[in-house]
Amino acid sequence: MLYDLTCPYPAAKVPTIVRTDVHMKSGHTDYTGLVYDVTIHSMDDSSYIDFPGHIVQTDDGMRADNAPAELFFRIPCTVIRLARIDHSGGVSAAELEEALGGIPQTPTLMINALGNLDPDEIEFRSVWLDDSAVDWIVSSGIRILVSDIYESMDIRGIFVKFFSNGICTVCEPRGMGRLKKSRNLLTISFPRIATLTQVPCQILVEEED
């Protein structure tokens, strides 16, 4: 079973698009092709991936155009499922470990803290990863984290900790509550645009038999 957890662009935030019609005609064919100039924002409008260089102080040189494709294609992934509700506060390391029944043994981790809720269905940052959870995630040795929660309103600097330890973060997933298994294969795909350390992405999960 393949799940697409990508957040679609909201109607109110569709990228700025300039369409050009290109008429192609020869003795063999006659058609009109469409070409687009698109202006997008690298975060918040859809799902996106942060490389460590998203923060200047943790830049490791990885960019959207030089990130090795094999690091993001069909990578074994562990899913931790909780059922937190709006304004339920910090998620701790103990809570994550109890829900999983141990420590992640895969290079990637997905945290579905909100159950069947999506991130935009709770008040912004009213559920978050506390300091113990961040330390637990870092110590597990993962290199990609997909989560429906991250920072708190007082901004604890959790992304600095993740990026300093070479962990890429994937934000704004949708429909994580549909996943049934705690082990699957994860693919993160994104356009190979030079210089970008944050870029919209697609999140695909293949549940293993």
Side-chain angles (χ1 to χ4, degrees):
M1 178 68 74
L2 184 66
Y3 295 92
D4 188 341
L5 305 185
T6 311
C7 176
Y9 276 90
K13 291 187 175 182
V14 172
T16 302
I17 298 174
V18 177
R19 179 182 124 175
T20 302
D21 293 13
V22 181
H23 189 201
M24 306 296 290
K25 185 175 182 179
S26 71
H28 305 285
T29 189
D30 187 349
Y31 64 88
T32 301
L34 303 180
V35 179
Y36 304 91
D37 288 305
V38 182
T39 301
I40 60 173
H41 195 262
S42 66
M43 68 181 293
D44 292 339
D45 293 345
S46 182
S47 302
Y48 59 93
I49 183 169
D50 295 320
F51 303 107
H54 172 54
I55 291 178
V56 173
Q57 290 84 353
T58 58
D59 193 350
D60 65 355
M62 186 180 290
R63 302 288 186 270
D65 61 324
N66 67 15
E70 62 270 18
L71 297 184
F72 302 92
F73 180 67
R74 301 188 79 234
I75 306 301
C77 181
T78 298
V79 179
I80 298 178
R81 285 186 291 271
L82 306 174
R84 287 301 204 96
I85 60 174
D86 196 15
H87 287 276
S88 60
V91 171
S92 69
E95 187 175 356
L96 293 175
E97 187 164 343
E98 181 179 359
L100 181 60
I103 306 294
Q105 301 296 317
T106 55
T108 65
L109 175 65
M110 301 186 72
I111 298 176
N112 173 210
L114 302 178
N116 291 322
L117 297 176
D118 283 329
D120 58 347
E121 295 181 292
I122 65 167
E123 185 171 327
F124 183 60
R125 292 183 176 174
S126 68
V127 187
W128 63 87
L129 297 170
D130 75 10
D131 292 346
S132 70
V134 174
D135 291 342
W136 183 83
I137 292 165
V138 168
S139 68
S140 74
I142 66 158
R143 52 183 172 77
I144 301 173
L145 173 63
V146 183
S147 180
D148 50 11
I149 61 168
Y150 280 102
E151 270 281 18
S152 62
M153 286 301 292
D154 63 350
I155 308 180
R156 308 287 295 181
I158 71 173
F159 289 102
V160 174
K161 292 182 181 179
F162 289 143
F163 299 157
S164 295
N165 287 277
I167 298 173
C168 298
T169 58
V170 179
C171 305
E172 297 297 328
R174 292 295 183 271
M176 295 179 77
R178 294 176 291 163
L179 301 178
K180 300 176 180 64
K181 298 185 178 181
S182 59
R183 174 90 176 211
N184 54 54
L185 298 175
L186 173 68
T187 295
I188 306 296
S189 61
F190 44 85
R192 312 284 282 182
I193 303 174
T195 77
L196 294 189
T197 59
Q198 181 187 69
V199 62
C201 69
Q202 185 174 34
I203 308 167
L204 297 176
V205 175
E206 179 183 345
E207 288 196 334
E208 295 180 308
D209 295 330

